[in-house]
Amino acid sequence: MKCGDLVYGRNTYDYQEGTLVFMAPGQVAGVNSNGETYQPKGKVLVFHPDLIHGTSLGRHIQDYTFFGYQSSEALHLSERERGIVLDCFSKIDYELERGVDKHSKRLIVSNIELFLDYSTRFYDRQFITRDHVHQGIIERFERLLNDFFASEKPQTVGLPSVAYCAEQLYLSPNYFGDLVKKETGRTAQEYIQDKLIDMAKEKIYDGSKTVNQIALELGYKYPQHFVRLFKKRVGHTPLEFRSLN
């Protein structure tokens, strides 16, 4: 059912039936009622961090990057996917209603983990099926980097970070990083570094520039960091690469 705008952090999200929003600890959520009285319906799974300490889920909870997505990057479920989610909730509900025994905690945590694993799969599906929403993000990312390195920003801002690029594209860093990884097979950081190496190669061809000048033009405060990355990615130092061409 429609239940107005869900407030999550600093953003609002137009709630839809069959939609999942993941909220990390410390986030503030509520509903914009606009003065109207209504009773929102839905299901919420909330668990204390202590529940998963020392468990398999506790050891890799940080792998579920969607807890860092913006509310506008929520997961939209198909009817079949919704059924799977509700089945996980039903099993957790069953364990909470029956008497507690030595199996209770393990079964509850296992079902939470199963729910999160399914959510990861559904997000992978959404990256593909909602391609019309994501279309052009990589092209805009590429253009953003080209414009960045063609400007004075490297000298004033420094190297472009994943967080900076995500902000410029109006995405959360986690969602942006996952999207780039799905689309290109590379992390957003690797993509930025590849672009930086390409720019560096062009500048190295200009024999009038020193390695230190090139490093500073690219946004490095310490040229040795640039030399180290170039050697790692290209297999030669900048000076060795210049002598090869």
Side-chain angles (χ1 to χ4, degrees), residues 64-187:
Y64 300 106
T65 52
F66 42 73
F67 280 106
Y69 289 0
Q70 294 176 6
S71 54
S72 58
E73 298 158 349
L75 178 58
H76 305 274
L77 300 175
S78 68
E79 279 301 312
R80 190 169 186 181
E81 291 169 347
R82 185 171 181 270
I84 292 172
V85 169
L86 293 178
D87 183 57
C88 290
F89 282 10
S90 177
K91 288 183 171 65
I92 294 170
D93 198 34
Y94 170 77
E95 288 301 321
L96 293 173
E97 287 182 348
R98 73 185 306 281
V100 177
D101 59 28
K102 65 179 182 180
H103 305 289
S104 300
K105 176 179 177 178
R106 181 170 59 84
L107 288 169
I108 291 171
V109 172
S110 294
N111 278 289
I112 294 175
E113 187 169 19
L114 180 64
F115 160 63
L116 294 175
D117 285 341
Y118 269 118
S119 299
T120 301
R121 169 186 277 179
F122 298 156
Y123 255 118
D124 284 349
R125 183 269 309 153
Q126 181 165 292
F127 277 121
I128 298 170
T129 57
R130 303 194 79 215
D131 188 57
H132 65 285
V133 177
H134 306 135
Q135 196 170 24
I137 291 292
I138 301 302
E139 288 84 353
R140 286 164 56 200
F141 183 26
E142 178 76 15
R143 188 161 59 249
L144 172 67
L145 292 176
N146 287 334
D147 292 344
F148 184 92
F149 285 113
S151 69
E152 299 297 319
K153 288 182 179 178
Q155 290 81 46
T156 57
V157 178
L159 294 169
S161 66
V162 173
Y164 170 85
C165 294
E167 182 181 3
Q168 297 302 306
L169 297 171
Y170 305 104
L171 297 170
S172 68
N174 281 7
Y175 190 87
F176 173 63
D178 290 344
L179 177 59
V180 172
K181 180 72 172 177
K182 296 289 189 308
E183 291 288 326
T184 69
R186 291 175 285 171
T187 67

Side-chain angles (χ1 to χ4, degrees), residues 50-63:
D50 287 352
L51 177 68
I52 64 173
H53 284 328
T55 68
S56 168
L57 178 57
R59 287 190 289 274
H60 69 93
I61 187 69
Q62 69 279 357
D63 295 341

Side-chain angles (χ1 to χ4, degrees), residues 31-49:
V31 174
N32 279 336
S33 65
N34 295 320
E36 299 178 18
T37 301
Y38 57 80
Q39 183 62 53
K41 293 182 180 179
K43 292 184 180 293
V44 181
L45 171 65
V46 184
F47 58 91
H48 196 284

